[in-house]
């Protein structure tokens, strides 16, 4: 999100910008590492285009993705952070393949988890499922859980980025702050009015720790 980007930009030393295609990149260094920042937009296509442009332009060793998602597990609540251990497309099916598996790709894409660096209250790890649908009801979550009962969070970008990184041989790290939990009883009663102010700060704390540690 733009608010997340705004929090990270002050960390950049030797900050400069450049446009590649239709994407604005902010480049510089953090803790001696060269860093390129971008806001990819919503949905799989935006995510895949952004990830491909990023990799082609800067050849990164690691791609980091942050954002928000719906919770899909009993132990995940609003404002928790889910770090992906695996990622899957929940809305993809091709005859002859398992549900969610893109031909030529693994069913589940692996991700870096940095267990030794990132932990604390409200930090969970598990499967993130991605699809071109904003999830807003228990029935929608139930349909996804039929195929992926261990899913922790559901979003609209992460698996697409993971697939691009897998195809290009680039390590991937993904985390999502939970905006709502439509599958569980606490649902939107725990939705904070100021979520869109607090969520970027929550994700920024973990991203900052990661960037300052690697």
């Amino acid at each position: 999100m733009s608010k997340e980007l705004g929090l990270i930009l002050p960390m950049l030393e030797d900050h400069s910008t450049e446009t590649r295609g239709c994407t604005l990149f902010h480049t510089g260094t953090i803790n001696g590492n060269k860093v390129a920042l971008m806001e990819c937009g919503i949905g799989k296509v935006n995510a895949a285009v952004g990830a491909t442009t990023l990799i082609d332009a800067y050849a990164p060793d690691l791609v980091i993705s942050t954002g928000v998602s719906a919770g899909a597990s009993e132990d995940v609540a609003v404002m928790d952070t889910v770090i992906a251990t695996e990622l899957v497309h929940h809305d993809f099916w091709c005859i002859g393949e398992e549900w969610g598996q893109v031909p030529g790709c693994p069913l589940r894409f692996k991700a870096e988890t940095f267990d030794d660096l990132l932990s604390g209250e409200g930090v969970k790890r598990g499967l993130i499922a991605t699809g071109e649908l904003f999830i807003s009801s228990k029935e929608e979550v139930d349909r996804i859980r039929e195929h992926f009962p261990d899913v922790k969070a559901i979003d609209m970008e992460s698996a697409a980025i993971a697939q691009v990184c897998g195809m290009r041989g680039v390590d991937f790290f993904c985390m999502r702050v939970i905006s709502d939990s439509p599958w569980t009883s606490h649902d939107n009663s725990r939705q904070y009015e100021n979520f869109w102010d607090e969520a970027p700060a929550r994700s920024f704390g973990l991203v900052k720790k990661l960037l300052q540690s690697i």
Side-chain angles (χ1 to χ4, degrees), residues 127-191:
L127 176 67
I128 293 180
T130 298
E132 296 279 18
L133 179 68
F134 185 87
I135 301 300
S136 60
S137 72
K138 179 181 183 300
E139 290 72 24
E140 291 171 328
V141 177
D142 284 341
R143 284 194 290 270
I144 295 170
R145 285 172 57 88
E146 287 177 4
H147 297 287
F148 307 106
D150 56 335
V151 62
K152 292 284 188 184
I154 304 167
D155 76 351
M156 299 176 69
E157 298 85 24
S158 297
I161 304 173
Q163 182 177 338
V164 171
C165 288
M167 295 171 71
R168 295 299 185 89
V170 179
D171 289 341
F172 180 52
F173 171 82
C174 174
M175 69 179 198
R176 291 290 183 268
V177 179
I178 301 302
S179 60
D180 61 298
S181 297
W183 183 71
T184 59
S185 59
H186 52 258
D187 192 11
N188 292 326
S189 64
R190 293 204 55 192
Q191 176 74 68

Short mmCIF file of all heavy atoms in Angstrom, two decimals, residues 127-191:
data_model
loop_
_atom_site.label_atom_id
_atom_site.label_comp_id
_atom_site.label_asym_id
_atom_site.label_seq_id
_atom_site.Cartn_x
_atom_site.Cartn_y
_atom_site.Cartn_z
N LEU A 127 0.01 -21.34 5.20
CA LEU A 127 -0.35 -21.25 3.79
C LEU A 127 -1.16 -19.99 3.50
O LEU A 127 -2.12 -19.69 4.21
CB LEU A 127 -1.16 -22.48 3.39
CG LEU A 127 -1.72 -22.51 1.97
CD1 LEU A 127 -0.58 -22.63 0.96
CD2 LEU A 127 -2.72 -23.66 1.81
N ILE A 128 -0.77 -19.27 2.45
CA ILE A 128 -1.57 -18.16 1.93
C ILE A 128 -2.10 -18.57 0.57
O ILE A 128 -1.36 -19.04 -0.29
CB ILE A 128 -0.75 -16.86 1.82
CG1 ILE A 128 -0.36 -16.36 3.22
CG2 ILE A 128 -1.53 -15.79 1.07
CD1 ILE A 128 0.45 -15.08 3.22
N ALA A 129 -3.41 -18.41 0.38
CA ALA A 129 -4.06 -18.74 -0.89
C ALA A 129 -4.46 -17.46 -1.62
O ALA A 129 -4.93 -16.51 -0.99
CB ALA A 129 -5.30 -19.61 -0.63
N THR A 130 -4.30 -17.47 -2.93
CA THR A 130 -4.50 -16.27 -3.74
C THR A 130 -5.53 -16.53 -4.84
O THR A 130 -5.53 -17.59 -5.46
CB THR A 130 -3.17 -15.84 -4.39
OG1 THR A 130 -2.23 -15.53 -3.37
CG2 THR A 130 -3.37 -14.62 -5.28
N GLY A 131 -6.38 -15.53 -5.08
CA GLY A 131 -7.34 -15.62 -6.17
C GLY A 131 -7.85 -14.26 -6.58
O GLY A 131 -7.70 -13.28 -5.84
N GLU A 132 -8.48 -14.19 -7.75
CA GLU A 132 -8.99 -12.92 -8.28
C GLU A 132 -10.40 -12.65 -7.75
O GLU A 132 -11.35 -12.45 -8.51
CB GLU A 132 -9.01 -12.97 -9.81
CG GLU A 132 -7.63 -13.10 -10.44
CD GLU A 132 -6.88 -11.78 -10.52
OE1 GLU A 132 -7.24 -10.83 -9.81
OE2 GLU A 132 -5.94 -11.71 -11.32
N LEU A 133 -10.53 -12.66 -6.44
CA LEU A 133 -11.83 -12.45 -5.82
C LEU A 133 -11.64 -11.88 -4.42
O LEU A 133 -10.89 -12.43 -3.62
CB LEU A 133 -12.60 -13.78 -5.73
CG LEU A 133 -13.98 -13.75 -5.09
CD1 LEU A 133 -14.96 -12.97 -5.98
CD2 LEU A 133 -14.50 -15.16 -4.86
N PHE A 134 -12.34 -10.78 -4.13
CA PHE A 134 -12.32 -10.23 -2.78
C PHE A 134 -13.21 -11.11 -1.91
O PHE A 134 -14.40 -11.26 -2.17
CB PHE A 134 -12.82 -8.79 -2.78
CG PHE A 134 -12.72 -8.12 -1.44
CD1 PHE A 134 -11.56 -7.47 -1.06
CD2 PHE A 134 -13.79 -8.16 -0.55
CE1 PHE A 134 -11.46 -6.87 0.20
CE2 PHE A 134 -13.69 -7.56 0.70
CZ PHE A 134 -12.54 -6.91 1.07
N ILE A 135 -12.64 -11.71 -0.88
CA ILE A 135 -13.35 -12.66 -0.03
C ILE A 135 -14.08 -11.92 1.08
O ILE A 135 -13.46 -11.20 1.87
CB ILE A 135 -12.39 -13.70 0.57
CG1 ILE A 135 -11.67 -14.45 -0.56
CG2 ILE A 135 -13.12 -14.65 1.49
CD1 ILE A 135 -12.60 -15.22 -1.48
N SER A 136 -15.41 -12.11 1.16
CA SER A 136 -16.19 -11.35 2.13
C SER A 136 -17.21 -12.17 2.89
O SER A 136 -17.96 -11.62 3.69
CB SER A 136 -16.92 -10.20 1.40
OG SER A 136 -17.79 -10.72 0.40
N SER A 137 -17.24 -13.50 2.69
CA SER A 137 -18.24 -14.31 3.38
C SER A 137 -17.65 -15.63 3.81
O SER A 137 -16.67 -16.13 3.24
CB SER A 137 -19.44 -14.56 2.47
OG SER A 137 -19.10 -15.47 1.43
N LYS A 138 -18.28 -16.23 4.82
CA LYS A 138 -17.86 -17.54 5.31
C LYS A 138 -17.99 -18.59 4.21
O LYS A 138 -17.14 -19.49 4.10
CB LYS A 138 -18.70 -17.93 6.52
CG LYS A 138 -18.36 -19.30 7.11
CD LYS A 138 -19.25 -19.64 8.28
CE LYS A 138 -18.85 -20.97 8.91
NZ LYS A 138 -18.94 -22.10 7.96
N GLU A 139 -19.04 -18.50 3.38
CA GLU A 139 -19.25 -19.47 2.33
C GLU A 139 -18.09 -19.47 1.33
O GLU A 139 -17.67 -20.54 0.85
CB GLU A 139 -20.56 -19.19 1.61
CG GLU A 139 -21.82 -19.46 2.43
CD GLU A 139 -22.04 -18.45 3.54
OE1 GLU A 139 -21.52 -17.31 3.42
OE2 GLU A 139 -22.71 -18.79 4.54
N GLU A 140 -17.58 -18.30 1.00
CA GLU A 140 -16.45 -18.21 0.08
C GLU A 140 -15.20 -18.83 0.69
O GLU A 140 -14.44 -19.54 0.01
CB GLU A 140 -16.19 -16.75 -0.29
CG GLU A 140 -17.29 -16.14 -1.16
CD GLU A 140 -17.13 -14.64 -1.32
OE1 GLU A 140 -16.64 -13.98 -0.39
OE2 GLU A 140 -17.50 -14.15 -2.39
N VAL A 141 -14.98 -18.58 1.98
CA VAL A 141 -13.82 -19.18 2.65
C VAL A 141 -13.97 -20.69 2.73
O VAL A 141 -13.00 -21.44 2.51
CB VAL A 141 -13.64 -18.57 4.06
CG1 VAL A 141 -12.47 -19.25 4.78
CG2 VAL A 141 -13.40 -17.07 3.98
N ASP A 142 -15.18 -21.16 3.02
CA ASP A 142 -15.41 -22.60 3.11
C ASP A 142 -15.07 -23.31 1.81
O ASP A 142 -14.51 -24.42 1.82
CB ASP A 142 -16.87 -22.88 3.48
CG ASP A 142 -17.18 -22.62 4.95
OD1 ASP A 142 -16.21 -22.59 5.74
OD2 ASP A 142 -18.36 -22.45 5.29
N ARG A 143 -15.41 -22.69 0.67
CA ARG A 143 -15.10 -23.31 -0.62
C ARG A 143 -13.60 -23.44 -0.83
O ARG A 143 -13.10 -24.42 -1.39
CB ARG A 143 -15.74 -22.50 -1.75
CG ARG A 143 -17.24 -22.72 -1.88
CD ARG A 143 -17.77 -22.18 -3.19
NE ARG A 143 -17.73 -20.74 -3.24
CZ ARG A 143 -18.73 -19.95 -2.84
NH1 ARG A 143 -19.84 -20.48 -2.34
NH2 ARG A 143 -18.62 -18.64 -2.94
N ILE A 144 -12.86 -22.44 -0.38
CA ILE A 144 -11.39 -22.49 -0.49
C ILE A 144 -10.82 -23.54 0.46
O ILE A 144 -9.92 -24.31 0.11
CB ILE A 144 -10.79 -21.10 -0.21
CG1 ILE A 144 -11.24 -20.11 -1.30
CG2 ILE A 144 -9.26 -21.17 -0.13
CD1 ILE A 144 -10.91 -18.66 -0.99
N ARG A 145 -11.38 -23.61 1.66
CA ARG A 145 -10.91 -24.57 2.65
C ARG A 145 -11.19 -26.02 2.24
O ARG A 145 -10.51 -26.94 2.71
CB ARG A 145 -11.53 -24.27 4.02
CG ARG A 145 -10.92 -23.04 4.69
CD ARG A 145 -11.71 -22.67 5.95
NE ARG A 145 -11.78 -23.76 6.88
CZ ARG A 145 -10.87 -24.03 7.83
NH1 ARG A 145 -9.80 -23.24 7.96
NH2 ARG A 145 -11.02 -25.04 8.66
N GLU A 146 -12.17 -26.24 1.39
CA GLU A 146 -12.43 -27.59 0.89
C GLU A 146 -11.21 -28.14 0.15
O GLU A 146 -10.90 -29.34 0.23
CB GLU A 146 -13.64 -27.58 -0.06
CG GLU A 146 -14.98 -27.39 0.65
CD GLU A 146 -16.12 -27.33 -0.34
OE1 GLU A 146 -15.87 -27.52 -1.55
OE2 GLU A 146 -17.26 -27.08 0.08
N HIS A 147 -10.52 -27.27 -0.56
CA HIS A 147 -9.32 -27.68 -1.29
C HIS A 147 -8.05 -27.52 -0.45
O HIS A 147 -7.10 -28.29 -0.61
CB HIS A 147 -9.19 -26.85 -2.56
CG HIS A 147 -10.31 -27.03 -3.54
ND1 HIS A 147 -10.46 -28.17 -4.29
CD2 HIS A 147 -11.35 -26.22 -3.87
CE1 HIS A 147 -11.53 -28.06 -5.07
NE2 HIS A 147 -12.09 -26.89 -4.83
N PHE A 148 -8.04 -26.51 0.43
CA PHE A 148 -6.83 -26.19 1.19
C PHE A 148 -7.22 -25.97 2.65
O PHE A 148 -7.30 -24.82 3.13
CB PHE A 148 -6.15 -24.95 0.62
CG PHE A 148 -5.89 -25.05 -0.86
CD1 PHE A 148 -6.65 -24.34 -1.77
CD2 PHE A 148 -4.90 -25.89 -1.35
CE1 PHE A 148 -6.44 -24.43 -3.13
CE2 PHE A 148 -4.68 -26.01 -2.71
CZ PHE A 148 -5.44 -25.28 -3.60
N PRO A 149 -7.48 -27.05 3.40
CA PRO A 149 -7.96 -26.92 4.78
C PRO A 149 -6.98 -26.26 5.74
O PRO A 149 -7.39 -25.79 6.81
CB PRO A 149 -8.24 -28.37 5.20
CG PRO A 149 -7.44 -29.21 4.27
CD PRO A 149 -7.40 -28.46 2.97
N ASP A 150 -5.70 -26.21 5.37
CA ASP A 150 -4.70 -25.61 6.25
C ASP A 150 -4.44 -24.14 5.93
O ASP A 150 -3.50 -23.54 6.48
CB ASP A 150 -3.39 -26.38 6.17
CG ASP A 150 -2.83 -26.49 4.75
OD1 ASP A 150 -3.63 -26.41 3.80
OD2 ASP A 150 -1.60 -26.65 4.60
N VAL A 151 -5.27 -23.52 5.10
CA VAL A 151 -5.04 -22.14 4.71
C VAL A 151 -5.15 -21.20 5.92
O VAL A 151 -6.04 -21.35 6.75
CB VAL A 151 -6.02 -21.71 3.59
CG1 VAL A 151 -7.46 -21.77 4.06
CG2 VAL A 151 -5.67 -20.32 3.06
N LYS A 152 -4.24 -20.25 6.00
CA LYS A 152 -4.23 -19.26 7.09
C LYS A 152 -4.79 -17.92 6.64
O LYS A 152 -5.42 -17.21 7.42
CB LYS A 152 -2.80 -19.05 7.60
CG LYS A 152 -2.19 -20.23 8.31
CD LYS A 152 -2.72 -20.38 9.71
CE LYS A 152 -1.95 -21.44 10.48
NZ LYS A 152 -2.51 -21.66 11.83
N ALA A 153 -4.51 -17.55 5.38
CA ALA A 153 -4.93 -16.23 4.90
C ALA A 153 -5.20 -16.31 3.41
O ALA A 153 -4.68 -17.19 2.71
CB ALA A 153 -3.84 -15.18 5.19
N ILE A 154 -6.04 -15.37 2.93
CA ILE A 154 -6.45 -15.36 1.53
C ILE A 154 -6.26 -13.94 0.99
O ILE A 154 -6.75 -12.98 1.59
CB ILE A 154 -7.92 -15.77 1.37
CG1 ILE A 154 -8.15 -17.15 2.01
CG2 ILE A 154 -8.32 -15.79 -0.08
CD1 ILE A 154 -9.62 -17.49 2.18
N ASP A 155 -5.56 -13.82 -0.15
CA ASP A 155 -5.35 -12.50 -0.74
C ASP A 155 -5.50 -12.57 -2.25
O ASP A 155 -5.96 -13.57 -2.80
CB ASP A 155 -4.01 -11.91 -0.31
CG ASP A 155 -2.82 -12.54 -1.03
OD1 ASP A 155 -2.98 -13.55 -1.74
OD2 ASP A 155 -1.71 -12.00 -0.90
N MET A 156 -5.06 -11.51 -2.95
CA MET A 156 -5.28 -11.41 -4.39
C MET A 156 -3.98 -11.26 -5.19
O MET A 156 -4.04 -11.00 -6.39
CB MET A 156 -6.21 -10.22 -4.69
CG MET A 156 -7.58 -10.36 -4.05
SD MET A 156 -8.65 -8.92 -4.29
CE MET A 156 -8.98 -9.04 -6.06
N GLU A 157 -2.82 -11.40 -4.54
CA GLU A 157 -1.55 -11.16 -5.23
C GLU A 157 -0.44 -12.18 -4.97
O GLU A 157 0.36 -12.48 -5.85
CB GLU A 157 -0.98 -9.77 -4.86
CG GLU A 157 -1.84 -8.60 -5.23
CD GLU A 157 -2.89 -8.28 -4.20
OE1 GLU A 157 -2.70 -8.63 -3.02
OE2 GLU A 157 -3.92 -7.70 -4.59
N SER A 158 -0.35 -12.71 -3.76
CA SER A 158 0.88 -13.35 -3.29
C SER A 158 1.33 -14.53 -4.12
O SER A 158 2.52 -14.68 -4.43
CB SER A 158 0.73 -13.77 -1.83
OG SER A 158 0.54 -12.64 -1.00
N ALA A 159 0.40 -15.46 -4.48
CA ALA A 159 0.81 -16.64 -5.23
C ALA A 159 1.32 -16.27 -6.62
O ALA A 159 2.20 -16.95 -7.16
CB ALA A 159 -0.34 -17.63 -5.33
N ALA A 160 0.78 -15.19 -7.20
CA ALA A 160 1.26 -14.76 -8.51
C ALA A 160 2.71 -14.30 -8.42
O ALA A 160 3.53 -14.61 -9.29
CB ALA A 160 0.38 -13.63 -9.04
N ILE A 161 3.05 -13.56 -7.38
CA ILE A 161 4.43 -13.12 -7.18
C ILE A 161 5.32 -14.32 -6.90
O ILE A 161 6.43 -14.43 -7.43
CB ILE A 161 4.53 -12.10 -6.05
CG1 ILE A 161 3.61 -10.90 -6.31
CG2 ILE A 161 5.98 -11.62 -5.87
CD1 ILE A 161 3.53 -9.92 -5.15
N ALA A 162 4.81 -15.25 -6.08
CA ALA A 162 5.59 -16.46 -5.77
C ALA A 162 5.86 -17.27 -7.03
O ALA A 162 6.95 -17.83 -7.19
CB ALA A 162 4.83 -17.30 -4.75
N GLN A 163 4.88 -17.35 -7.92
CA GLN A 163 5.07 -18.11 -9.17
C GLN A 163 6.13 -17.46 -10.04
O GLN A 163 7.00 -18.16 -10.58
CB GLN A 163 3.75 -18.20 -9.94
CG GLN A 163 3.88 -19.02 -11.22
CD GLN A 163 2.55 -19.16 -11.95
OE1 GLN A 163 1.49 -19.02 -11.36
NE2 GLN A 163 2.62 -19.43 -13.25
N VAL A 164 6.10 -16.14 -10.17
CA VAL A 164 7.12 -15.44 -10.96
C VAL A 164 8.50 -15.68 -10.34
O VAL A 164 9.46 -15.99 -11.06
CB VAL A 164 6.82 -13.93 -11.03
CG1 VAL A 164 8.00 -13.17 -11.64
CG2 VAL A 164 5.55 -13.67 -11.84
N CYS A 165 8.60 -15.54 -9.03
CA CYS A 165 9.89 -15.75 -8.37
C CYS A 165 10.38 -17.19 -8.56
O CYS A 165 11.57 -17.42 -8.80
CB CYS A 165 9.78 -15.42 -6.88
SG CYS A 165 9.62 -13.65 -6.52
N GLY A 166 9.46 -18.15 -8.47
CA GLY A 166 9.84 -19.53 -8.68
C GLY A 166 10.35 -19.78 -10.09
O GLY A 166 11.33 -20.49 -10.29
N MET A 167 9.66 -19.19 -11.08
CA MET A 167 10.07 -19.38 -12.47
C MET A 167 11.40 -18.71 -12.76
O MET A 167 12.16 -19.17 -13.62
CB MET A 167 8.98 -18.81 -13.39
CG MET A 167 7.67 -19.57 -13.31
SD MET A 167 6.31 -18.76 -14.20
CE MET A 167 6.84 -19.03 -15.90
N ARG A 168 11.71 -17.63 -12.03
CA ARG A 168 12.96 -16.90 -12.24
C ARG A 168 14.07 -17.29 -11.27
O ARG A 168 15.16 -16.75 -11.33
CB ARG A 168 12.69 -15.39 -12.14
CG ARG A 168 11.76 -14.85 -13.23
CD ARG A 168 12.35 -15.05 -14.62
NE ARG A 168 11.54 -14.44 -15.65
CZ ARG A 168 11.66 -13.20 -16.08
NH1 ARG A 168 12.59 -12.41 -15.57
NH2 ARG A 168 10.86 -12.73 -17.02
N GLY A 169 13.78 -18.19 -10.34
CA GLY A 169 14.81 -18.63 -9.41
C GLY A 169 15.21 -17.59 -8.38
O GLY A 169 16.37 -17.52 -7.98
N VAL A 170 14.24 -16.79 -7.94
CA VAL A 170 14.50 -15.73 -6.95
C VAL A 170 13.80 -16.09 -5.64
O VAL A 170 12.62 -16.48 -5.64
CB VAL A 170 13.99 -14.37 -7.46
CG1 VAL A 170 14.24 -13.28 -6.41
CG2 VAL A 170 14.65 -14.01 -8.78
N ASP A 171 14.49 -15.94 -4.52
CA ASP A 171 13.88 -16.20 -3.22
C ASP A 171 12.75 -15.20 -2.96
O ASP A 171 12.83 -14.03 -3.36
CB ASP A 171 14.93 -16.09 -2.11
CG ASP A 171 15.93 -17.24 -2.13
OD1 ASP A 171 15.62 -18.27 -2.73
OD2 ASP A 171 17.02 -17.07 -1.54
N PHE A 172 11.73 -15.67 -2.25
CA PHE A 172 10.54 -14.86 -2.02
C PHE A 172 10.14 -14.91 -0.55
O PHE A 172 10.14 -15.97 0.08
CB PHE A 172 9.39 -15.40 -2.88
CG PHE A 172 8.09 -14.65 -2.73
CD1 PHE A 172 8.03 -13.28 -2.87
CD2 PHE A 172 6.92 -15.34 -2.46
CE1 PHE A 172 6.84 -12.59 -2.74
CE2 PHE A 172 5.71 -14.67 -2.33
CZ PHE A 172 5.67 -13.29 -2.47
N PHE A 173 9.81 -13.74 -0.01
CA PHE A 173 9.27 -13.61 1.35
C PHE A 173 7.97 -12.85 1.27
O PHE A 173 7.88 -11.82 0.61
CB PHE A 173 10.25 -12.88 2.27
CG PHE A 173 9.66 -12.53 3.62
CD1 PHE A 173 9.62 -13.49 4.62
CD2 PHE A 173 9.15 -11.27 3.87
CE1 PHE A 173 9.07 -13.17 5.87
CE2 PHE A 173 8.61 -10.95 5.10
CZ PHE A 173 8.57 -11.91 6.11
N CYS A 174 6.95 -13.34 1.97
CA CYS A 174 5.62 -12.72 1.89
C CYS A 174 4.98 -12.68 3.27
O CYS A 174 4.99 -13.67 4.01
CB CYS A 174 4.74 -13.54 0.93
SG CYS A 174 3.02 -13.00 0.87
N MET A 175 4.40 -11.53 3.61
CA MET A 175 3.62 -11.45 4.84
C MET A 175 2.41 -10.56 4.62
O MET A 175 2.42 -9.63 3.82
CB MET A 175 4.48 -10.93 5.99
CG MET A 175 4.89 -9.50 5.89
SD MET A 175 5.86 -9.00 7.31
CE MET A 175 5.73 -7.23 7.18
N ARG A 176 1.34 -10.88 5.34
CA ARG A 176 0.08 -10.16 5.19
C ARG A 176 -0.51 -9.86 6.55
O ARG A 176 -0.59 -10.74 7.42
CB ARG A 176 -0.92 -10.99 4.37
CG ARG A 176 -0.55 -11.14 2.90
CD ARG A 176 -0.71 -9.80 2.18
NE ARG A 176 -0.46 -9.86 0.76
CZ ARG A 176 0.71 -9.63 0.19
NH1 ARG A 176 1.76 -9.36 0.96
NH2 ARG A 176 0.85 -9.66 -1.12
N VAL A 177 -0.97 -8.61 6.74
CA VAL A 177 -1.70 -8.23 7.94
C VAL A 177 -3.18 -8.55 7.72
O VAL A 177 -3.74 -8.24 6.67
CB VAL A 177 -1.52 -6.73 8.25
CG1 VAL A 177 -2.32 -6.34 9.50
CG2 VAL A 177 -0.05 -6.40 8.44
N ILE A 178 -3.82 -9.18 8.70
CA ILE A 178 -5.20 -9.61 8.56
C ILE A 178 -6.15 -8.44 8.75
O ILE A 178 -6.15 -7.79 9.79
CB ILE A 178 -5.53 -10.73 9.56
CG1 ILE A 178 -4.59 -11.93 9.34
CG2 ILE A 178 -6.99 -11.16 9.44
CD1 ILE A 178 -4.64 -12.52 7.96
N SER A 179 -6.97 -8.19 7.73
CA SER A 179 -7.93 -7.08 7.78
C SER A 179 -9.28 -7.51 8.31
O SER A 179 -10.02 -6.72 8.91
CB SER A 179 -8.10 -6.47 6.38
OG SER A 179 -8.59 -7.46 5.48
N ASP A 180 -9.66 -8.77 8.09
CA ASP A 180 -10.93 -9.30 8.58
C ASP A 180 -10.85 -10.82 8.54
O ASP A 180 -9.96 -11.37 7.89
CB ASP A 180 -12.10 -8.80 7.73
CG ASP A 180 -11.99 -9.24 6.28
OD1 ASP A 180 -11.01 -8.86 5.61
OD2 ASP A 180 -12.87 -9.97 5.83
N SER A 181 -11.76 -11.47 9.25
CA SER A 181 -11.75 -12.94 9.31
C SER A 181 -13.16 -13.46 9.04
O SER A 181 -13.88 -13.84 9.96
CB SER A 181 -11.26 -13.42 10.68
OG SER A 181 -9.92 -13.01 10.90
N PRO A 182 -13.58 -13.46 7.77
CA PRO A 182 -14.96 -13.82 7.46
C PRO A 182 -15.33 -15.26 7.75
O PRO A 182 -16.51 -15.60 7.76
CB PRO A 182 -15.06 -13.53 5.95
CG PRO A 182 -13.66 -13.54 5.45
CD PRO A 182 -12.83 -13.05 6.59
N TRP A 183 -14.35 -16.15 7.99
CA TRP A 183 -14.67 -17.54 8.25
C TRP A 183 -15.04 -17.79 9.70
O TRP A 183 -15.70 -18.76 10.04
CB TRP A 183 -13.49 -18.43 7.87
CG TRP A 183 -13.79 -19.90 8.05
CD1 TRP A 183 -14.64 -20.67 7.30
CD2 TRP A 183 -13.28 -20.76 9.06
NE1 TRP A 183 -14.67 -21.96 7.76
CE2 TRP A 183 -13.83 -22.04 8.86
CE3 TRP A 183 -12.38 -20.57 10.11
CZ2 TRP A 183 -13.53 -23.13 9.67
CZ3 TRP A 183 -12.08 -21.66 10.92
CH2 TRP A 183 -12.65 -22.92 10.69
N THR A 184 -14.60 -16.92 10.61
CA THR A 184 -14.73 -17.19 12.04
C THR A 184 -15.82 -16.36 12.69
O THR A 184 -16.33 -15.40 12.11
CB THR A 184 -13.40 -16.89 12.75
OG1 THR A 184 -13.05 -15.52 12.53
CG2 THR A 184 -12.29 -17.77 12.21
N SER A 185 -16.16 -16.71 13.91
CA SER A 185 -17.27 -16.05 14.59
C SER A 185 -16.97 -14.60 14.93
O SER A 185 -17.87 -13.78 15.00
CB SER A 185 -17.61 -16.81 15.88
OG SER A 185 -16.49 -16.88 16.73
N HIS A 186 -15.67 -14.27 15.16
CA HIS A 186 -15.38 -12.88 15.53
C HIS A 186 -15.43 -11.93 14.33
O HIS A 186 -15.62 -10.75 14.50
CB HIS A 186 -14.03 -12.75 16.25
CG HIS A 186 -12.87 -13.37 15.56
ND1 HIS A 186 -12.35 -14.57 15.95
CD2 HIS A 186 -12.12 -12.96 14.51
CE1 HIS A 186 -11.31 -14.87 15.18
NE2 HIS A 186 -11.15 -13.91 14.31
N ASP A 187 -15.26 -12.43 13.13
CA ASP A 187 -15.48 -11.72 11.88
C ASP A 187 -15.20 -10.22 12.01
O ASP A 187 -14.22 -9.81 12.58
CB ASP A 187 -16.91 -11.97 11.39
CG ASP A 187 -17.11 -11.50 9.95
OD1 ASP A 187 -16.11 -11.19 9.29
OD2 ASP A 187 -18.26 -11.45 9.51
N ASN A 188 -16.11 -9.40 11.45
CA ASN A 188 -15.86 -7.96 11.38
C ASN A 188 -16.13 -7.23 12.68
O ASN A 188 -15.92 -6.02 12.76
CB ASN A 188 -16.70 -7.35 10.26
CG ASN A 188 -16.23 -7.82 8.90
OD1 ASN A 188 -15.05 -8.04 8.70
ND2 ASN A 188 -17.15 -7.99 7.97
N SER A 189 -16.61 -7.94 13.71
CA SER A 189 -16.78 -7.27 15.01
C SER A 189 -15.44 -6.85 15.57
O SER A 189 -15.37 -5.97 16.43
CB SER A 189 -17.48 -8.21 16.00
OG SER A 189 -16.67 -9.34 16.27
N ARG A 190 -14.36 -7.44 15.04
CA ARG A 190 -13.02 -7.06 15.49
C ARG A 190 -12.33 -6.15 14.49
O ARG A 190 -11.14 -5.89 14.60
CB ARG A 190 -12.17 -8.31 15.72
CG ARG A 190 -12.66 -9.14 16.90
CD ARG A 190 -11.53 -9.98 17.44
NE ARG A 190 -10.38 -9.16 17.80
CZ ARG A 190 -9.18 -9.66 18.08
NH1 ARG A 190 -8.96 -10.96 18.01
NH2 ARG A 190 -8.17 -8.87 18.40
N GLN A 191 -13.08 -5.69 13.52
CA GLN A 191 -12.49 -4.77 12.54
C GLN A 191 -12.27 -3.41 13.19
O GLN A 191 -13.20 -2.79 13.69
CB GLN A 191 -13.43 -4.62 11.34
CG GLN A 191 -12.95 -3.61 10.31
CD GLN A 191 -11.78 -4.16 9.51
OE1 GLN A 191 -11.94 -5.08 8.75
NE2 GLN A 191 -10.63 -3.57 9.70
#
